[in-house]
Amino acid sequence: MDQTSGATMFSATVVPESGLDRLSSILGVLSDIVWGPFVLIPLLLLTGLYLTARLKVLQIRTLPHALWLAFFRRTEKGAEGDISHYQALSTSLAATVGVGNIAGVATAIGIGGPGALFWMWVTGLLGMATKYSEALLGVKYRERDARGQQVGGPMFYLTNGVGGAFGLLLGTLFALFGAIAAFGIGNGVQSHEVAGVVERTWGVDTWITGAVLVVLVGVVIIGGIKSIGRVTAGIVPVMCIAYVFAGIAILIIFVGDLPDAIALVFSAAFTGESAVGGLFGSALLLTIQMGMARGMFSNEAGLGSGAISAAAAKTDQPVRQALVQMTQTFIDTIIVVSITGLVLVVTGAYNATDADGLDGAVLTSWAFEQGVGGTGTLIVAVGVVLFAYTTMLGWSYYGERCLVYLVERLFGVRDEIVTNVVVYAYRVLFAGLLFVGAVVEADLVWTFSDIANGLMALPNLLGLLLLSGVVARETSKYMGIPNWKDPNAHVITDVRGNGGWRPAD
């Protein structure tokens, strides 16, 4: 995607000459509306700000303890659920730490300029409170499906928490858009970027890569969330650590230019400098739009997807799992995205798109190459493959859960055999469409993903605002108990009596 084609996601497009161009033009207009200055961007910012204020900046106050829970105290004894704290987090990380952290950041900065990174940071910091709220509600309102598995997510807390016909409408819309979005953010975009980088690095035809992905993803997702959790728990830490250390090495090499690069990120965030939008107003808007859109694509805060994996965790305490899930946004955006973005800026790679036709993962690869030579190209190539692979695994589960909700709740079918048929059919379809994503046009895949993500986020963000009181009360109640940091203290509904704290009747 070059700068001109990428900008069409947020601006008017020319009259198309073919059916594919016509479809791309229509999707571009829809993306303009969803990600315009009057719909999703203000809703994302206001929701994040409101939850941050209502939770008293919880994402900063409790971050050290949340990281300890996630990486050192990974389980709760005797708690209900299908996977551990850490497996739920790694599944969530697997779904979010994908090509958005490599190709998505490059697209945002290549089109929106260095200032787009600042708006990705804003999305991440505020998104930590959003992600926390989503996960808390996901665990609190989870249920068991026809197969006896713990299931939850926005479709359940919108339906059961908001309640009534309006809650059912919001839950249905989320599940519908979520099932569709899985084929964009978690399928087509990922396989397309993998196929492209494998072809450029090793000369393998895209259709071959697509066929291999069908097999590699299919053999894992056929085993469901437990299989996905085991695989992602092993891959995610290795891939994140390797990529981050490589990025840090490049920043050390360019350490003399780092202060100026950081200053440019902050100044361009409010001037639109180097964005391709033309005049100051349109350039600034493009900077904000690209930063927000790619920020959400990367960390998924506001999409509600992380709440789906959180609901499968072995926990008896919504707040505790919410703290664990919150760390995903911190790792994804504040660490991994920052590394990619700063490498792009400090090496000057963001300016190379016009002259050299670089975009997406290729642009990031070029930036890494400036620091560590051919090794940088290999690091990005392997990073794209592993990041995208785990994202496919995580999103296959998200889409599957949304579809099962529609079957069981909307159509009233709660039969184990029917549910199994739906689940396995979805898994086969998801794996098969990876081949399609590997060979189609990049613009179409990215724009479709932006629209699907936005439509998925709208009912979820509205529900978070409506249920913010529940989040605040659960948080206050849990953290008001003296032993709240004890991971084996099951205090979901504790009350205070004469003898101290005790479980409510």
Side-chain angles (χ1 to χ4, degrees), residues 493-495 502-505:
T493 54
D494 290 60
V495 296
R502 62 178 178 79
D505 297 330

Side-chain angles (χ1 to χ4, degrees), residues 1 102-104 106-107 193 200 344 358-365 446:
M1 183 189 301
I102 297 177
T107 302
E193 290 295 332
R200 289 185 293 268
L344 287 164
L358 303 176
D359 64 85
V362 183
L363 179 60
T364 303
S365 178
W446 276 103

Side-chain angles (χ1 to χ4, degrees), residues 148-168:
Q149 293 184 335
Q150 291 278 10
V151 293
M155 53 281 201
F156 289 95
Y157 61 68
L158 291 171
T159 302
N160 301 331
V162 175
F166 186 57
L168 178 61

